[in-house]
Amino acid sequence: MPSWEELEQRCRACRGCGLCAGRHHVVVGVGNREAQIMLVGEGPGEQEDLTGEPFVGAAGRLLDEMLCIIDLDRRRNVYIANIVKCRPPGNRDPKPEEQEACIGLLREQIALVQPKLLVCLGRIAATRLIREDFRITREHGAWQERDGRWLTAIYHPSALLRDESKRPDTFRDLLAIRAKAQELGIL
């Protein structure tokens, strides 16, 4: 298994897909590298590309508020990453070949963090990490155990900014994440 430094170096040097051509920064991740809870989104947006840190724009501010509700904090007790490490143009969904180019790096991040809970933020992360035919509108908040790790998916914060009607479901999902973390002795 590579070290964090080796992984970050490989991410910065990556030319595995066309996304590298337009990037300002590779966005590897942020947070506690020994966290027992890991959150995975789809890919960096404009602000993330400019700063090199995931979830720093409006969706990131909302994510921070969501985490605060359940006693979590991006620097203290979670680690946040994305499926792809470079910004898709116009904030479009990452294409399958772009996801494929980055998935090995994400798997290494997961192996380094060793989280007990993995929370997919949105459909793209859920279809990549939980199940290819995952339906976020029907299955958000459902738990699945795989290899000693608990996985779930919630709506992506940017979806909540576009459609506030999803917020009550997400609030319930957040409470379930806190309950699962308490059950596992994480919180």
Side-chain angles (χ1 to χ4, degrees):
M1 183 178 331
S3 69
W4 277 104
E5 293 73 27
E6 291 167 332
L7 175 64
E8 288 176 352
Q9 190 173 50
R10 283 203 344 270
C11 288
R12 285 191 295 276
C14 182
R15 302 284 183 266
C17 74
L19 292 180
C20 66
R23 72 181 177 216
H24 289 94
H25 290 96
V26 173
V27 182
V28 179
V30 69
N32 181 342
R33 292 175 173 177
E34 297 176 358
Q36 295 183 53
I37 301 174
M38 185 169 177
L39 286 72
V40 178
E42 63 187 51
E46 181 179 17
Q47 292 304 308
E48 291 77 10
D49 180 48
L50 293 173
T51 63
E53 183 172 321
F55 288 93
V56 294
R61 288 188 295 278
L62 179 57
L63 178 61
D64 288 342
E65 292 171 13
M66 293 163 59
L67 293 173
C68 184
I69 289 170
I70 57 172
D71 305 317
L72 297 176
D73 177 87
R74 75 167 52 223
R75 305 259 181 233
R76 185 171 43 88
N77 55 3
V78 298
Y79 185 81
I80 305 171
N82 283 305
I83 297 291
V84 298
K85 310 301 183 204
C86 300
R87 178 184 182 218
N91 292 337
R92 66 164 167 73
D93 290 347
K95 295 177 182 177
E97 60 270 19
E98 296 162 347
Q99 293 178 44
E100 192 59 36
C102 276
I103 197 65
L105 298 169
L106 176 64
R107 288 189 179 120
E108 289 180 28
Q109 282 179 288
I110 294 168
L112 285 166
V113 174
Q114 286 296 309
K116 290 183 181 178
L117 295 181
L118 196 149
V119 179
C120 298
L121 301 173
R123 173 184 56 85
I124 299 292
T127 58
R128 194 67 207 210
L129 297 175
I130 297 176
R131 196 178 67 256
E132 193 174 303
D133 64 347
F134 190 93
R135 299 289 181 245
I136 191 79
T137 54
R138 284 185 291 175
E139 299 178 83
H140 64 85
W143 290 98
Q144 182 175 99
E145 192 267 337
R146 188 179 306 143
D147 301 322
R149 180 173 295 127
W150 289 93
L151 293 89
T152 192
I154 64 174
Y155 287 113
H156 193 286
S158 63
L160 301 174
L161 291 172
R162 289 189 305 271
D163 183 356
E164 291 190 8
S165 71
K166 291 177 169 56
R167 289 186 181 202
D169 284 340
T170 302
F171 182 71
R172 286 187 290 276
D173 294 344
L174 289 170
L175 294 178
I177 291 168
R178 181 173 64 191
K180 181 63 81 176
Q182 290 170 335
E183 173 189 323
L184 297 173
I186 297 170
L187 289 178

